[in-house]
Amino acid sequence: MLKAIALDDEPLALEVLQSFCDQMEEICLDKTFTKSEDAFKYLKKFPVDLLFLDINMPSVSGINFYKKLPHKTMVIFTTAYSEYAVEGFTLSATDYILKPFSFSRFKQAVEKAINQHKLQNQNPEQLYLFIRADYSLIKILFSDILFIEGLDDYLKIHIQNQKTVVARMTLKAILEKLPSPEFVRVHRSFIVPVSKIDKVRNKIIYINEEEIPVSASYEAAFFALLNKE
């Protein structure tokens, strides 16, 4: 079970988060805070797995608060302002949800945090996933993936020095199983691992002589991530 706290200057927003957390067995919201200094003091003494963090607060920006955290903590940013999304993702945020958000969107973000937590607590030799294809479960190491191509409800997983795996799955579904921020979506049809990128030129990513386009809707977050790297 994930241990979490929430920081938001709006009590009503905290009530919504508490209500949503109470509906999920996989997460426990230990405390909520309206003041950043109280949350910071708590985190120094009691590290948690996940922080729900409002970005636009009067005393301190959620972005600056996150940068000063005393422990490595997953964060799900919550805000009413979509313009903060790119900056949030450059900090390797687990997710970014725009207020007012539904329970289904909240659940999606928490499930992403759960998957990320599982990956972070695996040994390096266990960093893989199993994909059902060709009537089998195929083990694929994250480090071997060159890129992933989406074709409607199917995926083509291009693997280094191995046969391409074709599976019935969506890009959205597989992205939730991949470690972030190493794997990033750059197009409605492509996911790439940052470490495998040879170069980027004119919004084209080059990986092992393959050319992968960066679409306008993913461009800002992708290049912000590269600049951070």
Side-chain angles (χ1 to χ4, degrees):
M1 177 182 289
L2 292 183
K3 292 172 63 67
I5 68 166
L7 171 59
D8 196 307
D9 64 306
E10 299 176 5
L12 183 59
L14 293 174
E15 290 179 16
V16 171
L17 286 170
Q18 184 69 69
S19 173
F20 284 176
C21 285
D22 289 345
Q23 296 178 55
M24 296 189 67
E25 295 181 355
E26 303 92 337
I27 186 168
C28 176
L29 189 62
D30 288 344
K31 286 186 84 67
T32 61
F33 299 90
T34 55
K35 296 181 179 179
S36 59
E37 57 269 26
D38 293 340
F40 195 80
K41 288 177 183 177
Y42 181 88
L43 286 169
K44 288 178 73 173
K45 290 184 178 180
F46 308 104
V48 297
D49 303 310
L50 177 64
L51 170 63
F52 294 100
L53 181 58
D54 184 24
I55 291 182
N56 192 33
M57 296 182 289
S59 58
V60 63
S61 131
I63 298 288
N64 291 333
F65 182 88
Y66 181 62
K67 289 177 179 177
K68 296 176 182 177
L69 284 181
H71 307 285
K72 185 175 181 181
T73 307
M74 294 183 295
V75 64
I76 294 175
F77 284 115
T78 63
T79 185
Y81 301 93
S82 59
E83 61 265 27
Y84 291 112
V86 172
E87 187 172 5
F89 279 119
T90 62
L91 291 174
S92 303
T94 298
D95 209 340
Y96 174 101
I97 48 181
L98 193 63
K99 298 176 183 177
F101 47 84
S102 64
F103 175 70
S104 61
R105 179 66 185 91
F106 169 84
K107 184 179 179 182
Q108 180 187 40
V110 170
E111 288 175 345
K112 194 172 180 181
I114 292 168
N115 289 331
Q116 183 176 335
H117 185 258
K118 288 178 181 177
L119 289 171
Q120 289 174 347
N121 288 278
Q122 286 180 328
N123 294 325
E125 63 270 19
Q126 294 177 311
L127 292 181
Y128 54 80
L129 77 167
F130 279 97
I131 292 293
R132 187 173 296 279
D134 295 330
Y135 305 101
S136 306
L137 282 172
I138 301 173
K139 179 180 177 180
I140 301 174
L141 296 176
F142 295 138
S143 58
D144 287 341
I145 297 174
L146 293 173
F147 64 95
I148 301 171
E149 182 179 0
L151 305 164
D152 295 324
D153 291 333
Y154 287 85
L155 295 176
K156 291 176 71 175
I157 305 174
H158 300 263
I159 306 170
Q160 197 160 17
N161 301 321
Q162 295 180 44
K163 180 183 176 182
T164 297
V165 172
V166 178
R168 187 176 179 82
M169 194 177 189
T170 64
L171 280 179
K172 180 181 177 182
I174 197 169
L175 188 60
E176 292 176 356
K177 298 177 181 294
L178 297 168
S180 175
E182 163 62 8
F183 285 85
V184 59
R185 192 164 184 174
V186 298
H187 188 278
R188 65 186 300 272
S189 301
F190 291 100
I191 293 171
V192 302
V194 176
S195 62
K196 291 294 192 297
I197 295 174
D198 296 320
K199 64 181 178 182
V200 182
R201 186 172 62 195
N202 297 331
K203 299 181 186 178
I204 299 293
I205 297 169
Y206 293 84
I207 298 178
N208 274 24
E209 300 183 358
E210 294 284 348
E211 298 183 5
I212 299 161
V214 180
S215 68
S217 54
Y218 296 95
E219 177 184 350
F222 171 65
F223 283 106
L225 177 64
L226 288 194
N227 290 332
K228 179 175 180 283
E229 294 288 328

